[in-house]
Amino acid sequence: MKVHLEVHDIHPVLSFQVSLLDLADITEEGVTFQSPADGKPMLLTPEESIRIQNKIGADIIMALDDVVRTTITGPRMEEAMYRTLRWIDRCIAAHERPDAQNLFGIVQGGVDPILRDICVRGLVERNLPGYAIGGLAGGEDKDSFWRVVAQCTAALPADKPRYVMGVGYPLDIVVCSALGADMYDCVYPTRTARFGTALIPEGVLKLKHNAMASDERPIDSTCTCMVCKKYTRAYLHYLVTKDPMGSQLLSYHNLSYMMRLSQNLHMSIVEGRFPQFVQGFLRIQFPKGDVPKWVCNAMEVAGIDISSCCSPIH
Amino acid sequence: MRFVVTKSCGGSSRVRVGSLLAGNPSSLLETPALLLSTKKGLPAFISPDLLATLDSPGPPLLHISPVHFLDGPSPSIISSIGGLHQMLALQSFVLVASPRDSIDSLPESIGANKLGAAFETPSGRRLVKPSDYMDMISSLKADLWASLADEVPAWVSEKRNRASVDRTLRWLDDCIALDKTGGENIFGAIVGGTSVKERQRCATEVVKRNVPGP
C-alpha cells in the first residue's frame, strides 16, 4: 500500500491517499490491504482514515476516495466515482475537527468527462474547504490529462484551492497552473535525484553520463542553491546513485529547482507577466520550437499565447 | 605543519595536550582531536550545509581516504578543480588524507605484494603502488597525509609481519621522494602488528626520516 504522507513548511499538509494500489480489495466498506508492518490484512474505512488524520492534526486532510487507474475503462470507473461521493459523506460525518482541519474532497472519474462532471458537482454541493483532482499522474495520455484538469478547474469554485495530486513534471505544473490549479505534490524531484537526474531549466541533466565525469561546471549556472554554488558535475557524477550523499545533494538541488520554479511562476502572475513566463519556460525547454501538441492545445484553452515558442512545423 | 606539546602531566603519566598548526591558511588545532570520517570526501552522516552546526572548538578535522577516489574523479580532474578543499567546498576545514577506513575500501594484506598495498573497494580488489598513491596525494592537496603502509592483521606470521615493516619503510621513502611539497605534511605510517620489537624498529626508522609526524 502506498500511503502518501507529505509534511511541508510551517503548515503541515497531510495527504492520506490510497493511491493506485497494486494489491487491494476495495468494497463499499473500505479498502483492505496488506499492512506494511506485519503483512496482515488491514481495513481502512473512510471513518478510520479521517479519525487518524484528526489525530495527526494536519491543517489540510484528504477524504478517502476510491481511485482506479485511468487506463481502466468500463463499469469499475463509474463505480469508483459514485463510491467516492458516498465516501465523502462518511468522511464529513466522521470529521471531528472541521474548525481546525480542512477536509478536501477528491474528484475522480478517470478520463471520462461525464463521470468527472458528476463527481465535481457532487463534491461542490458538499461545500468543502478545498478540492483535489485525483486519479491522474498514472500513465494516461497527456491529451486526456490536461482536458480533465481543464474541465475540473472550470467547474470547481474559483474561491477555493484546487490541488492536482501527483503532479509532477515541471512542464505539467506550468500547464496546470495556466489552467487554474493551485497546489501540487509529487515524488518526481527526489525520486529522479536518486537515479542521478538533475532538474534544470533546459529539462534534465543525467549526471551519470560519461561526459559529466570531467565537466567542472555546476549542475545549473543559473541556480543559486548550495549544491550549485559548491559542487561540480564531475564530483557529483561519482557520487550519485552510489553514495547516499549523492542522493542528498541532488535531491537538495532538485527541490531548490522546484521551489524556484514555483516562486518565479507565482511572481509572474503577481506582476502580470505570466504569459511571458510561460513563453520563457517553453523556449528554454524546447529551443527548436517542438513544443508538444498537448501543451499547445492546453495553452489555447488557458488563453495563453505561445505561438512565438512553436516552430511552424509543429 | 607544526606540533607542540603544551601540557603533560608529568610522572609516569603519558597523557598530553598539544597544539597542531596546519592548514592553509593555518589553523590552530588542539589535540587530542577527533577526525570525522568521510566517504568520497564528505561526511556520510551530515550534509555539508549542516557541518557548520557541529559544536567544534576549532575548525573540524576531516579524515579522507584517497582510496575512495580510485574509481574517480581522476587525479587530473581533482587537480583541475583545485584539490580536495575546492572539490568538496571545505576550504576552511583541515583535511587529513590516509588510506585508513573501517567501512569501505579496507586494506587487504593478502593482496599486497612488494609493489604495493591492496584494498577491497566496492569495485573489487585494487593494488595501489606508491607512485599511484602519490599521484592521488598530489592532486588531493590535503593539509596532512599519511604515507602508504602495508597493513597486516595481528594473526600473520612473524615473517609476514617483518616484511610489512620493511615494505612500509621502503614505501615511506618512495612517498618522500615523490612528494612535491617537500615533505612538509607527511605522517609516516608505523606498522608492526602486535610485536613490540617490530613496532619499535618501525618507529625508530620512521623517526630517522624526520617527517613532521608519525
Side-chain angles (χ1 to χ4, degrees), chain A residues 25-177:
Chain A
D25 192 23
I26 305 177
T27 63
E28 190 60 27
E29 209 191 338
V31 183
T32 307
F33 57 93
Q34 262 191 320
S35 158
D38 55 14
K40 291 201 195 123
M42 266 180 73
L43 174 66
L44 187 67
T45 60
E47 290 78 11
E48 183 66 6
S49 110
I50 297 300
R51 192 189 69 85
I52 295 170
Q53 292 183 85
N54 280 158
K55 280 225 163 72
I56 295 173
D59 302 287
I60 297 173
I61 65 175
M62 307 305 294
L64 186 66
D65 55 344
D66 183 4
V67 51
V68 296
R69 286 185 213 286
T70 41
T71 42
I72 287 174
T73 52
R76 176 74 188 102
M77 184 64 79
E78 189 172 337
E79 179 195 45
M81 185 277 291
Y82 281 114
R83 181 171 291 140
T84 296
L85 285 176
R86 290 192 293 276
W87 280 2
I88 188 67
D89 287 334
R90 287 168 60 182
C91 288
I92 293 167
H95 188 15
E96 289 186 353
R97 307 183 60 215
D99 50 317
Q101 297 180 282
N102 300 284
L103 173 62
F104 278 33
I106 306 178
V107 180
Q108 294 296 345
V111 296
D112 183 339
I114 298 171
L115 294 179
R116 286 279 177 180
D117 181 56
I118 297 168
C119 201
V120 166
R121 285 175 197 279
L123 291 176
V124 169
E125 264 172 37
R126 273 86 172 163
N127 197 25
L128 295 161
Y131 301 94
I133 302 168
L136 296 173
E140 67 283 341
D141 68 283
K142 279 314 215 233
D143 202 54
S144 307
F145 159 74
W146 80 260
R147 286 176 201 282
V148 169
V149 175
Q151 179 190 358
C152 291
T153 52
L156 289 167
D159 61 343
K160 298 209 176 141
R162 292 89 84 87
Y163 161 27
V164 189
M165 304 185 90
V167 168
Y169 301 121
L171 179 60
D172 294 1
I173 288 177
V174 172
V175 170
C176 290
S177 299

Side-chain angles (χ1 to χ4, degrees), chain B residues 84-137:
Chain B
L84 276 179
H85 291 86
Q86 272 303 113
M87 187 171 75
L88 307 172
L90 295 174
Q91 288 88 345
S92 60
F93 290 64
V94 176
L95 305 180
V96 180
S98 101
R100 249 278 105 228
D101 190 311
S102 45
I103 300 171
D104 200 283
S105 304
L106 272 71
E108 182 48 78
S109 61
I110 296 172
N113 56 37
K114 61 183 178 186
L115 296 172
F119 298 89
E120 282 301 343
T121 74
S123 58
R125 186 178 295 173
R126 308 286 286 269
L127 188 74
V128 179
K129 296 180 264 200
S131 56
D132 303 322
Y133 185 69
M134 288 313 293
D135 273 345
M136 289 192 287
I137 290 289

Side-chain angles (χ1 to χ4, degrees), chain B residues 146-157:
Chain B
S147 63
L148 187 64
D150 180 22
E151 289 207 48
V152 295
W155 53 84
V156 298
S157 66

